[in-house]
């Protein structure tokens, strides 16, 4: 309008879109009944995907329930969950099946995985030997989470390391697969290890 001292304001530029967080694939592995499904479920910020089926009499000859007689279901494919570590990092968690008859799936699940958590039940440490060997052979970094069933840890971390014959660079952490904060601490320790390894590889 003529004579008006109003000035047209410049249009406000739209805010730039927030950068998508980095996504990292992590495996949660270990023997049959060590707490993998529980860990993924307790730490996931979304409803976890589970592929559990009831244990039946048909599997009595192939499923070793020694020490876990109370177990009523088993993972037959995978568990899946997601957790955000800060605003810049999202972990996609893939729980592996623990029974030997399903181990053939591990190779496919490991594709694209940057690291792993191997859960150990100190009542049956031998049940996690196969998972440790799997990641060592493929050069996939991993940490060991010692799952304290019923909240008990009868052995210190170093005693577990010695029993599993783990090298010094493999972190052994006491945890409770039922507790979100405890599981998150294990995952953060793994991510810190991956970051340190990447920084070391990039150093001149």
């Amino acid at each position: 309008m003529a004579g008006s001292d109003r000035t047209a304001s410049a249009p406000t530029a739209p805010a730039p879109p927030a950068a998508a967080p980095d996504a990292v694939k992590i495996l949660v592995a270990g023997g049959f009944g060590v707490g993998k499904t529980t860990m993924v479920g307790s730490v996931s910020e979304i409803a976890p995907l589970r592929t559990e089926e009831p244990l039946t009499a048909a599997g009595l000859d192939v499923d070793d329930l020694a020490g876990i007689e109370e177990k009523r279901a088993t993972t037959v494919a995978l568990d899946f969950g997601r957790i955000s570590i800060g605003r810049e990092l999202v972990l996609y968690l893939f729980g592996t099946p623990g029974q030997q008859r399903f181990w053939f799936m591990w190779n496919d699940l490991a594709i694209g995985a940057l690291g792993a958590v191997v859960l150990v039940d100190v009542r049956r440490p031998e049940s996690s030997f196969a998972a440790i060997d799997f990641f060592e052979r493929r050069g996939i970094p991993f940490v060991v989470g010692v799952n304290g069933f019923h909240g008990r840890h009868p052995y210190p971390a170093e005693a577990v390391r010695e029993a599993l014959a783990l090298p010094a660079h493999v972190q052994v952490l006491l945890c409770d697969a039922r507790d979100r904060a405890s599981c998150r601490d294990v995952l953060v320790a793994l991510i810190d290890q991956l970051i340190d390894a990447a920084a070391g590889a990039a150093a001149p």
Side-chain angles (χ1 to χ4, degrees), residues 117-164:
V117 174
V118 176
L119 281 183
V120 172
D121 177 357
V122 294
R123 302 171 301 177
R124 302 174 297 117
E126 70 284 352
S127 68
S128 292
F129 287 166
I132 292 170
D133 184 64
F134 179 87
F135 296 117
E136 286 181 338
R137 288 178 178 272
R138 286 158 182 78
I140 298 175
F142 66 95
V143 299
V144 169
V146 184
N147 186 17
F149 283 82
H150 309 296
R152 294 194 295 267
H153 287 287
Y155 306 104
E158 285 307 310
V160 177
R161 176 192 303 282
E162 183 176 349
L164 297 176

Side-chain angles (χ1 to χ4, degrees), residues 38-183:
T38 301
M39 179 178 185
V40 172
S42 66
V43 79
S44 179
E45 62 196 17
I46 63 172
L49 168 67
R50 293 173 173 164
T51 58
E52 285 192 308
E53 293 294 337
L55 291 169
T56 64
L60 290 179
D61 293 335
V62 292
D63 298 331
D64 183 8
L65 296 178
I68 50 171
E69 290 82 4
E70 73 281 0
K71 191 168 177 59
R72 296 291 179 264
T74 185
T75 298
V76 297
L78 59 88
D79 301 305
F80 175 77
R82 184 188 73 195
I83 178 173
S84 298
I85 306 294
R87 296 183 177 180
E88 299 179 351
L89 183 63
V90 172
L91 307 186
Y92 291 105
L93 308 176
F94 290 78
T96 66
Q99 295 160 281
Q100 187 171 355
R101 55 191 167 124
F102 298 127
W103 286 357
F104 68 91
M105 299 180 187
W106 290 17
N107 285 321
D108 288 339
L109 290 174
I111 295 173
L114 294 189
V117 174
V118 176
L119 281 183
V120 172
D121 177 357
V122 294
R123 302 171 301 177
R124 302 174 297 117
E126 70 284 352
S127 68
S128 292
F129 287 166
I132 292 170
D133 184 64
F134 179 87
F135 296 117
E136 286 181 338
R137 288 178 178 272
R138 286 158 182 78
I140 298 175
F142 66 95
V143 299
V144 169
V146 184
N147 186 17
F149 283 82
H150 309 296
R152 294 194 295 267
H153 287 287
Y155 306 104
E158 285 307 310
V160 177
R161 176 192 303 282
E162 183 176 349
L164 297 176
L166 293 169
H169 70 270
V170 175
Q171 297 183 76
V172 179
L173 306 117
L174 304 181
C175 67
D176 184 339
R178 304 166 302 174
D179 182 75
R180 175 181 172 84
S182 177
C183 296

